[in-house]
Amino acid sequence: MDPACAGAVELAREAAEETARPARVGDHLGLRAEADRVVTHYFASLDPAYRGWRWAVTVARASRAKQVTVDECVLLPGDGALLAPEWVPWLERLRPGDLGPGDLLPTPADDVRLAPGYTQADDATDQETQWELGLGRPRVLSKEGRDETAARWYEGIAGPRAPIAMSAPAQCSTCGFFVSLAGGLREVFGVCANEYAPDDGRVVSVDHGCGAHSEAVVIPPASEHGPPVIDELGYDVVPAGQLRDTEAEEALGHS
């Protein structure tokens, strides 16, 4: 460590105070040799907005020169400094549901979820279904994209472990409202077409289920009732006065 640079504590403090003004500079915390005739002095920061930070003033001396000069003065975080979270690109910060009307989400050219239309075709049939004259798609789902999609759907609310599926009377594969998907996902997923189901218009797995299953409720047939039974053996006791009143009403045409 160069003795002249190591002894230039006051020179380094003056540079730190000038940069930190109007905030004050605290005690000298130490120094470190950066190279030949280059030393960095550290001072505590007393600014309330930068607790745990420190001023780093680098001083240097030219070869065969006696005068020490300030090379750099910066504010650096210490061990207990409050730091901003690590910057994340906006494309990686997006979450499902963030895209609104009018928003555009460009897909990177090297997105592993997509591949050119014909490179991922398994056979001639898939090539025909993935491309039509004038309506061809430049890219389609790659194998990685299909696997990632299938795992996300199957482990989510459309899979067999969703609470509504655990209590369902039957699976979607036996429901009349289940419409199978086309392509490589048709063996595991389909779309619900029951307007009264909570998953109407959404992708569900074949072993998903809900209470709106087409065969969940069977209406029992209407029971046949026999003709009314008339008691011809019993009788009712009617007082004589009530009987005469009834006979008089019937004579007047009342029943």
Side-chain angles (χ1 to χ4, degrees):
M1 183 175 297
D2 183 75
C5 292
V9 177
E10 293 302 322
L11 176 65
R13 176 180 291 276
E14 292 177 0
E17 291 178 347
E18 182 180 358
T19 306
R21 190 175 297 122
R24 295 182 296 112
V25 177
D27 298 335
H28 184 256
L29 301 179
L31 67 164
R32 185 180 66 179
E34 305 290 351
D36 292 341
R37 299 180 299 278
V38 180
V39 175
T40 298
H41 293 269
Y42 296 98
F43 300 90
S45 173
L46 301 182
D47 192 337
Y50 289 90
R51 296 184 182 277
W53 290 63
R54 56 183 181 175
W55 288 100
V57 182
T58 302
V59 296
R61 181 175 63 86
S63 177
R64 300 179 182 177
K66 297 182 180 180
Q67 184 178 4
V68 178
T69 59
V70 176
D71 183 41
E72 186 180 30
C73 180
V74 295
L75 187 62
L76 299 178
D79 296 336
L82 179 63
L83 301 177
E86 185 178 357
W87 183 82
V88 179
W90 69 270
L91 186 59
E92 300 178 12
R93 295 197 302 267
L94 289 177
R95 293 294 180 267
D98 290 348
L99 198 66
D103 295 338
L104 297 178
L105 180 59
T107 303
D110 57 348
D111 195 328
V112 297
R113 300 173 300 170
L114 296 172
Y118 283 105
T119 60
Q120 291 293 320
D122 299 330
D123 49 37
T125 303
D126 286 342
Q127 292 182 5
E128 294 176 359
T129 57
Q130 292 176 3
W131 184 88
E132 297 179 7
L133 184 61
L135 299 176
R137 293 180 293 167
R139 293 187 291 177
V140 295
L141 272 178
S142 64
K143 183 179 183 302
E144 292 81 0
R146 287 196 300 268
D147 294 343
E148 179 182 338
T149 300
R152 183 176 67 254
W153 287 353
Y154 199 80
E155 297 297 333
I157 60 175
R161 284 182 284 273
I164 192 171
M166 300 291 290
S167 59
Q171 296 182 352
C172 291
S173 58
T174 60
C175 181
F177 298 104
F178 181 78
V179 181
S180 298
L181 292 180
L185 298 175
R186 61 180 176 267
E187 297 181 0
V188 186
F189 298 101
V191 177
C192 178
N194 188 351
E195 63 177 323
Y196 300 108
D199 295 313
D200 178 40
R202 300 177 181 175
V203 175
V204 293
S205 64
V206 295
D207 48 359
H208 185 68
C210 70
H213 193 281
S214 61
E215 314 302 325
V217 179
V218 178
I219 301 177
S223 59
E224 296 292 339
H225 296 284
V229 179
I230 301 176
D231 185 7
E232 298 179 348
L233 300 178
Y235 59 90
D236 297 329
V237 178
V238 180
Q242 183 178 354
L243 181 59
R244 288 194 297 269
D245 295 340
T246 304
E247 292 175 351
E249 291 177 357
E250 291 181 354
L252 295 176
H254 300 283
S255 58

